Amino acid sequence: MQTPASMVMGIVFAPLGLVLVFTAAITPQWREGQVQVGPSGALGASGGGGGEGLLLLRSDGLWESCLQVAHSELKQCWPVSGPYQHDSRVRTAQGLVLASLFLCGAGIVLASVGVRCWTDLPLRGIAAAGGLLVALAGILSLVALGLYTHNLPSLGNEDPSGISGAGGSALQQHQRVPTHRLPRLSLRPAGSLYFGWVGGWVQVLGGAALMLSFKRPRCPSWPKRPPVERTEAYEVTC
């Protein structure tokens, strides 16, 4: 059997999109910012790595946050906590991403059964249903990413420093800086968001390609044989 190009495209793009969205979900680089720790113990938001003291890099994901000293191996990560964890928009993004991963996995299983490269006749309806689930998964992941990106600076903004959770407490204890002196970080989109955007669009494209399986191809018509006329044999006698 010659597998249609749309099925091949869908069965390749769907797992690729799943891997990209899963990578984005488990990495803590959805947003990032940096803060300069001066020699006197004061903190100030910084846009570059210049100046004296330590430059701390803060990054947040859906389930994990990290704090790292720039240009060093010192890094501390902890599960999201505080206002950021309880923010309804973060929780909504978490639920949408989990639903997207589940639907995409189920769609890939259905598409694999429907394509049936080991037989002569693919199950087009099952393959197209799998493509529908994959496309829906891509839409859910794109909605989650759009919601997070649109509200990125204000997520968990009840913390005036932007360094919430265990990392912020440890940093404040170490530096002995009052909370009111900690300025808000200027946060920006990070690498995991871009992985997620690419993965979401790849899922949509793969699902759309599989959904083309609903259209049945025309079977080629075989040329008809001309009717065979019976001829009677006559003996010719001389």
Side-chain angles (χ1 to χ4, degrees), residues 10 18 35 37 54 63 89 107 126 134 154 156 158 164 190 206:
L18 177 64
V35 66
V37 183
L54 295 177
W63 285 277
R89 294 161 295 185
I126 295 180
V134 173
S154 61
E158 290 84 351
S164 60

Side-chain angles (χ1 to χ4, degrees), residues 31 58 60 156-157 159-164 182-185 187:
R31 66 177 187 177
R58 166 67 187 269
D60 292 312
N157 60 359
D159 182 12
S161 66
I163 306 180
S164 60
L182 300 177
R184 190 184 306 280
L185 286 174
L187 297 167

Side-chain angles (χ1 to χ4, degrees), residues 42-123:
L43 294 177
S46 170
E52 299 179 355
L54 295 177
L55 180 62
L56 300 179
L57 307 177
R58 166 67 187 269
S59 61
D60 292 312
L62 289 181
W63 285 277
E64 191 178 39
S65 297
C66 291
L67 192 65
Q68 181 179 6
V69 178
H71 313 297
S72 75
E73 299 294 331
L74 297 176
K75 185 176 182 180
Q76 181 181 8
C77 295
W78 62 93
V80 292
S81 59
Y84 178 80
Q85 178 190 17
H86 300 293
D87 195 302
S88 60
R89 294 161 295 185
V90 175
R91 289 183 173 272
T92 302
Q94 290 174 341
L96 289 174
V97 168
L98 289 177
S100 170
L101 293 174
F102 175 78
L103 284 179
C104 190
I108 290 173
V109 172
L110 281 179
S112 301
V113 173
V115 171
R116 293 180 63 180
C117 297
W118 59 89
T119 62
D120 291 333
L121 296 175
L123 302 176

